[in-house]
Amino acid sequence: MPNEVKSLNEECGLFGIWGSNENETAGLIHDGLHSLQHRGQEGAGIVVMDNEHHIHRHRGLGLVSQVFSDNYVFDDLKGNIGIGHVRYATAGSHGVKNIQPFTFHLDDFTDFSLAHNGNLTNADTLKRTLQSKGASFNSDSDSEILGQLIKMSKQVKFIDRLKEALRQIKGGFAFVLSTGDELIAALDPNGFRPLVIGRREDGSYVVCSETCALDQVNARYIRDVKPGEVVIINNNGITNDFFTNDTNLAICSMEYIYFARPDSVIHNVSVHEARMRMGALCAKENPVDADVVIGVPNSSLSAALGYAKGSNIPYDMGMIKSQYVARTFIEPTQKKRERGVSMKLSVVKSVVEGKKVVLVDDSIVRGTTSKYIVQLLKRSGAKEVHVRIASPALRFPCFYGIDIQTTEELIAANHTVSEIKDIIGADSLGYLSVDSLIKAINLKNDHGEGSGLCTSYFDGKYPTPLYDYQAQFDKSAEELGLYEEDNYIERSI
């Protein structure tokens, strides 16, 4: 799809609650999912466990407000424990069958449900193995694999079944599970995806993808879930265990750059403040003589403010984003996609007319949207447009939960900065360096060494083996000459 107007998209957002009033649980999950809507707009679902351990579920395609538009839906979602999910597909097809949470029945054991954020890098291998042992899959999402591994386990206790299953899956994963008595959270050994714990005044506990969802339901932040950790919440309070001790925090740096809401805090780092620092350091590395700084709404506004402060160039609201236009990259034709972008973004002409403009964005994927925005600004009277990207150039795929899994779709993997500048029609183009990105986020891993970040999309250094994706990556990397001496990257571990 060479002409696709494509943004970055992550798989989903998670929300779970334990110990709430049975009449309020589904509503609280709904509100939490609404605050996580930016993490997935394809579909949403809620599962609630009642006092008799029966599972009640409602799910559908569309936004949270669309899936749960009828109040009567909540009449059937009664219970003290529940989990919810918003989805954007990075693995598996689009359709209701892949909308989570998924539910499972264990004969003479217990029923349970789960929701997943991330991408399993050995999913194909595991699925073939499970099917050879008689497992039947109800979806084509990799998220169902954990449930099938739990069902296949010979362990007696559910937590032991879960830990055994978690040791078999690889890649990036954050899971929230519910049984009749417990809410459980689990995170991969590198903690690629964020997951936080909070508590409400009524004593109920919440586990969710971002702290903004805690704020939405008036829950007090307790802490982040640790890499390799399993957190169990039940009548005994919070207990924890680890399914592996071989852990090393490498959270996805795109959470800070793009995915998370600016009012969220991840591992004690404010997303808004990190983006401000990214912008300021980008101004230091890529100075330019200009009249005004503007940001591409909405995820780039914090970085644009930082660039303005770092450069002493005035910041202004030069672009407006309509909140009522659907995603554009799924439109079937280029003409419709471009029309969608034009409906979504508009220029405040009085801000840019006759001026040299610094346009700050968080990333460039294919370059098509950047080209359109530069043209839009120039048609609105901008004298010059200098594009500044408050992150390094995206040159490598992500296999841990972002829907960019080939180098062919990344403009920076195929063109130099100078070539990209010409392609998008900018007067100049500058990216933030990897070192400055790490400095801006200022996160240390659990061992006090390294950045605590995954920056593989920028430098090609993946913190884990790629398993089922390794051959695919090697093929595209060698075609692009990424293993050659002058452009050397390490093959994954």
Side-chain angles (χ1 to χ4, degrees), residues 333-487:
T333 66
Q334 175 67 7
K335 184 176 181 180
K336 287 186 176 182
R337 285 190 288 265
E338 289 182 352
R339 182 170 179 266
V341 175
S342 69
M343 292 173 65
K344 184 165 62 174
L345 295 173
S346 58
V347 176
V348 182
K349 291 185 179 180
S350 61
V351 172
V352 306
E353 193 169 15
K355 296 178 182 177
K356 293 181 286 186
V357 177
V358 177
L359 175 69
V360 178
D361 205 351
D362 48 65
S363 57
I364 298 179
V365 184
R366 298 199 63 90
T368 316
T369 300
S370 299
K371 179 179 180 179
Y372 180 85
I373 294 173
V374 171
Q375 291 174 343
L376 186 63
L377 289 168
K378 291 194 172 183
R379 285 201 304 267
S380 298
K383 184 178 179 181
E384 297 175 3
V385 179
H386 301 273
V387 177
R388 295 295 180 265
I389 306 301
S391 68
L394 284 162
R395 300 177 60 231
F396 303 95
C398 174
F399 303 101
Y400 306 121
I402 303 175
D403 66 336
I404 293 180
Q405 296 178 355
T406 65
T407 51
E408 288 81 0
E409 61 190 307
L410 298 171
I411 191 171
N414 299 275
H415 297 280
T416 65
V417 173
S418 179
E419 289 172 340
I420 298 170
K421 173 186 74 70
D422 292 338
I423 290 169
I424 66 175
D427 291 276
S428 70
L429 171 64
Y431 290 89
L432 185 69
S433 68
V434 174
D435 287 343
S436 288
L437 172 69
I438 292 170
K439 182 179 179 181
I441 298 173
N442 192 29
L443 178 68
K444 298 296 182 183
N445 64 21
D446 292 340
H447 308 294
E449 304 169 349
S451 68
L453 297 171
C454 175
T455 57
S456 57
Y457 351 92
F458 313 123
D459 56 22
K461 298 176 181 177
Y462 296 93
T464 73
L466 298 181
Y467 297 100
D468 294 344
Y469 291 98
Q470 186 66 58
Q472 170 189 322
F473 175 71
D474 284 344
K475 182 177 182 295
S476 59
E478 289 181 1
E479 287 176 353
L480 292 169
L482 299 178
Y483 288 136
E484 295 175 2
E485 185 175 354
D486 293 338
N487 199 20

Side-chain angles (χ1 to χ4, degrees), residues 196-217:
V196 296
I197 307 168
R199 191 176 190 185
R200 288 166 34 87
E201 288 186 359
D202 63 3
S204 59
Y205 288 95
V206 175
V207 177
C208 55
S209 293
E210 291 184 37
T211 59
C212 65
L214 296 180
D215 297 336
Q216 182 66 46
V217 298

Side-chain angles (χ1 to χ4, degrees), residues 166-200:
L166 290 168
R167 282 191 285 266
Q168 297 177 65
I169 61 177
K170 307 298 180 183
F173 54 85
F175 282 99
V176 177
L177 304 92
S178 64
T179 68
D181 303 303
E182 297 176 325
L183 179 69
I184 303 172
L187 202 58
D188 69 73
N190 295 99
F192 287 114
R193 299 291 149 215
L195 203 56
V196 296
I197 307 168
R199 191 176 190 185
R200 288 166 34 87

